[in-house]
Amino acid sequence: MPRLGSKIDKSEEFFGEINMSRRTFPDLLATSPCLLGEGAVIERLRRNPELELDPYLVNAAFIYQAAPRAALEAICRQYLEIGRDFALPLLISTPTWRASRERIAAAGYDGVDVNGDNVRFLDALRHSYGGYATQVSICGLMSCRGNAYSPGEALAVEAAQRYHAWQAGQLAAAGVDVLLAATLPAMSEATGLALALAATGTPYLLSFVVRPQGTLLDGTPLKEAIAAIDAAVTPRPLAYLINCTHASFARAALTHAGNASPLARQRVVGLLANTAALSPEELDDSTHLIEEDPASFGATVAALHHDLGLKLLGGCCGTDDRHIRALAARLATAG
């Protein structure tokens, strides 16, 4: 993989100043009937035989080399064009899922503004879509320190706050519309992340991986996790999401008689869904991609808008542009 000894292309086309003339994400979320989320990015890049994900940064340094950047841009543009074609507001994530200070240094990019450069990269893509750019929000993507499917690796609250504060600050300073801590398996690290994100003053979302029984992977009931974080952190999250979870699992979790609640259903506003109805443990051990028919995916995910009021809907593992296009077609007529 390229390191700092390689040529880093930082042309103005990809790293221009952030254009601030846009609707805020809280406004889009409050006033839009539906918002479209992107589909899988990392997984699609991983399946490209011409690319190699960095063992530390995954795809966060792709913007610094021409061929990986082109592959990343092509995927992002697919999702931007689907949102534009169906006139849906879009939330698109920076490729910074693994861009903590610790990982940046380990990858040999210490001193490079990896988080900020990824924000500027996406902003340049966004503003290439003219008037539609005002409907596109960029979220600064973060996650837990360890394996997102292993709650036993989760940091304690105070350690998580310290660990994640630097990256949260970098993304907020770069001008993201909203911060998103996603694929969270455990209550402790989610709370610490919330404290770190809240300290930036930027609106933020937390997104859990959930089981059909209505719990996080560490066993915390969804209703208790949301109530506890809302009470412990000021400002509280703008809202919560579920991600890396099949639509049927999310539906079961949100309607569970004991572990969900009306408050949980009010505060969880979206789902970034997997195509495979598999547990995290099964997904972690899977050696091949399990896909769902795009039309079926679009129908089952969009039904959560009608049935449970979820309004930010997109894809995660197993999805590509076909799944997001099928979902967008449903959402565009949902009203």
Side-chain angles (χ1 to χ4, degrees):
M1 294 298 293
R3 293 292 184 269
L4 290 182
S6 303
K7 180 181 178 183
I8 295 178
D9 181 348
K10 298 186 70 170
S11 61
E12 290 182 3
E13 177 184 0
F14 293 101
F15 299 99
E17 293 299 316
I18 295 290
N19 187 321
M20 302 299 289
S21 59
R22 57 181 180 267
R23 293 179 64 188
T24 67
F25 177 76
D27 177 54
L28 282 173
L29 184 63
T31 61
S32 304
C34 298
L35 293 86
L36 185 65
E38 64 189 3
V41 176
I42 293 172
E43 186 183 43
R44 295 179 65 187
L45 294 169
R46 180 180 288 116
R47 298 200 302 268
N48 186 329
E50 298 180 357
L51 300 174
E52 181 184 356
L53 299 180
D54 188 280
Y56 299 104
L57 294 179
V58 189
N59 61 331
F62 273 24
I63 57 172
Y64 298 125
Q65 301 294 326
R69 184 176 65 206
L72 176 62
E73 178 179 345
I75 292 173
C76 294
R77 285 196 180 278
Q78 285 182 338
Y79 298 140
L80 282 159
E81 286 160 12
I82 292 168
R84 180 196 61 190
D85 291 348
F86 288 95
L88 289 168
L90 176 71
L91 182 66
I92 192 164
S93 303
T94 56
T96 53
W97 186 62
R98 287 300 194 211
S100 66
R101 177 161 54 183
E102 173 186 63
R103 286 175 172 269
I104 288 171
Y109 284 88
D110 200 13
V112 178
D113 187 9
V114 174
N115 286 279
D117 286 345
N118 272 287
V119 176
R120 290 179 281 273
F121 167 78
L122 276 189
D123 188 64
L125 295 186
R126 166 171 60 180
H127 286 284
S128 70
Y129 287 85
Y132 178 63
T134 63
Q135 298 290 104
V136 178
S137 292
I138 294 173
C139 74
L141 181 61
M142 301 173 59
S143 190
C144 54
R145 182 189 185 191
N147 187 336
Y149 290 162
S150 298
E153 296 183 19
L155 296 174
V157 174
E158 295 81 7
Q161 183 179 6
R162 289 193 302 270
Y163 181 84
H164 294 293
W166 180 85
Q167 186 185 7
Q170 293 287 299
L171 289 165
V176 294
D177 301 294
V178 62
L179 292 163
L180 169 62
T183 326
L184 304 180
M187 174 71 179
S188 61
E189 191 158 1
T191 304
L193 266 159
L195 290 165
L197 272 56
T200 69
T202 298
Y204 67 100
L205 306 165
L206 298 184
S207 186
F208 298 119
V209 184
V210 300
R211 299 194 188 278
Q213 296 78 17
T215 68
L216 312 192
L217 299 191
D218 69 353
T220 304
L222 184 60
K223 66 179 183 182
E224 293 181 11
I226 290 172
I229 292 173
D230 278 356
V233 184
T234 303
R236 69 179 190 172
L238 179 65
Y240 294 83
L241 307 177
I242 293 169
N243 79 293
C244 210
T245 302
H246 190 263
S248 64
F249 290 6
R251 178 185 289 271
L254 287 168
T255 57
H256 192 276
N259 292 328
S261 65
L263 173 64
R265 287 186 287 275
Q266 176 189 12
R267 295 288 283 135
V268 176
V269 302
L271 168 68
L272 305 176
N274 288 349
T275 60
L278 298 176
S279 71
E281 294 80 8
E282 291 169 326
L283 282 172
D284 219 13
D285 292 337
S286 179
T287 58
H288 62 282
L289 178 68
I290 300 174
E291 289 190 294
E292 184 176 14
D293 174 71
S296 297
F297 174 87
T300 57
V301 175
L304 294 171
H305 170 69
H306 179 270
D307 298 342
L308 296 177
L310 299 189
K311 63 191 311 184
L312 172 53
L313 295 165
C316 199
C317 298
T319 60
D320 57 29
D321 57 302
R322 300 168 302 152
H323 298 88
I324 301 307
R325 184 168 290 277
L327 173 60
R330 294 272 185 171
L331 295 180
T333 60

